[in-house]
Amino acid sequence: MKEDSLANKAYTELRRKILSNQLVSGMRLKEDVWASKLEVNRMAIREALTRLLGEQLVVLGEKGGFFVKSLIAADIQQIRELREILELGAIRLAIQKIDQQHIDELERICEDFTSMIQRGYFGGACEADVKFHETLIDSADNEKLRNLYQSGNIPLFHQKLGQAQTHMDDYELTDMEHRQILKALKEKDLKLAEETLTRHLIRGEVATLDLD
């Protein structure tokens, strides 16, 4: 595989794990460790990490090394506000435009999420969670919105800052809320979709900051 393909493979995998919060705030990303895990060379990992640094998903440590960027309370609030703006806008468009292909894809993602939880694959569940929201954006059929969401590098935040997700009740609520949003889209019930999504995002912010 060519060097640029190896670097892109590493970038895609690391970005996915950061956005799905499998790699939590403050975690160090060691080049040799990830080169071994992803079966690429260290140069590819360094290129991927440098790209993620430019996208502000990782930072350099005071003594060197790459670390997943830590989020403070203000970051979480701003992420939730941004997601509300973009995803509520997507829902308003999707109510009018969504096709059967996107309905089927959202249903498949919900089933994947449920299956992952039942089997204890929490990392996979987090990835399915991210995919649900990305597909929600896609269902709006607006390329500018899709590009803006993609370039925003918007992470998942259903767990306390710097900690891995382990709370089953959160997963069950997430599953229920995703399915409620899907139901609202099918029935073209904009009010239900907006209320459920807003509640879903606020709950994520509260759980992350441990305010409840």
Side-chain angles (χ1 to χ4, degrees):
M1 191 178 292
K2 294 183 179 179
E3 190 65 42
D4 57 345
S5 297
L6 292 173
N8 191 62
K9 172 188 174 182
Y11 162 80
T12 300
E13 184 69 13
L14 289 170
R15 179 181 181 274
R16 182 170 58 85
K17 288 185 178 297
I18 291 172
L19 294 185
S20 62
N21 235 322
Q22 296 178 71
L23 300 177
V24 299
S25 296
M27 179 180 289
R28 183 171 185 179
L29 303 175
K30 295 183 178 181
E31 293 177 27
D32 57 341
V33 171
W34 282 100
S36 177
K37 283 184 178 182
L38 301 182
E39 299 181 333
V40 299
N41 56 49
R42 290 187 62 170
M43 181 64 71
I45 296 296
R46 176 165 283 274
E47 286 186 27
L49 290 172
T50 299
R51 185 174 173 185
L52 292 168
L53 178 67
E55 295 179 359
Q56 300 182 24
L57 288 174
V58 303
V59 296
L60 289 173
E62 292 183 4
K63 298 181 180 179
F66 292 90
F67 296 79
V68 177
K69 182 180 179 181
S70 294
L71 301 178
I72 61 174
D75 294 323
I76 297 299
Q77 180 181 359
Q78 290 175 18
I79 289 169
R80 191 263 303 161
E81 290 171 345
L82 178 61
R83 290 186 66 179
E84 278 192 15
I85 291 169
L86 297 181
E87 294 184 35
L88 285 173
I91 277 180
R92 289 167 190 144
L93 292 173
I95 286 286
Q96 306 169 46
K97 300 180 179 182
I98 195 165
D99 55 23
Q100 191 59 47
Q101 181 179 348
H102 283 110
I103 290 290
D104 291 345
E105 177 67 5
L106 288 168
E107 287 182 333
R108 184 190 64 77
I109 293 167
C110 286
E111 292 303 320
D112 284 349
F113 185 91
T114 301
S115 175
M116 292 290 182
I117 295 307
Q118 290 175 344
R119 291 183 290 161
Y121 296 156
F122 300 118
C126 287
E127 290 182 19
D129 193 348
V130 171
K131 185 63 176 175
F132 180 90
H133 290 274
E134 290 176 342
T135 304
L136 186 62
I137 294 292
D138 286 343
S139 68
D141 192 26
N142 185 301
E143 186 177 354
K144 300 294 185 184
L145 176 60
R146 183 184 302 114
N147 291 342
L148 183 60
Y149 195 87
Q150 181 78 10
S151 64
N153 291 314
I154 302 172
L156 191 68
F157 54 80
H158 287 303
Q159 60 264 37
K160 297 176 185 177
L161 292 177
Q163 297 182 20
Q165 173 59 277
T166 56
H167 302 294
M168 184 60 70
D169 57 343
D170 184 89
Y171 285 117
E172 292 173 348
L173 285 169
T174 295
D175 195 15
M176 180 185 70
E177 289 162 352
H178 283 177
R179 291 177 183 277
Q180 187 84 316
I181 291 168
L182 176 56
K183 176 177 181 289
L185 287 173
K186 287 180 179 178
E187 298 175 357
K188 299 191 180 300
D189 187 338
L190 180 58
K191 184 173 185 291
L192 176 61
E194 290 180 329
E195 289 178 349
T196 306
L197 177 61
T198 300
R199 183 170 64 251
H200 178 62
L201 295 176
I202 290 175
R203 183 176 63 79
E205 179 185 11
V206 170
T208 302
L209 299 176
D210 197 23
L211 297 176
D212 54 348

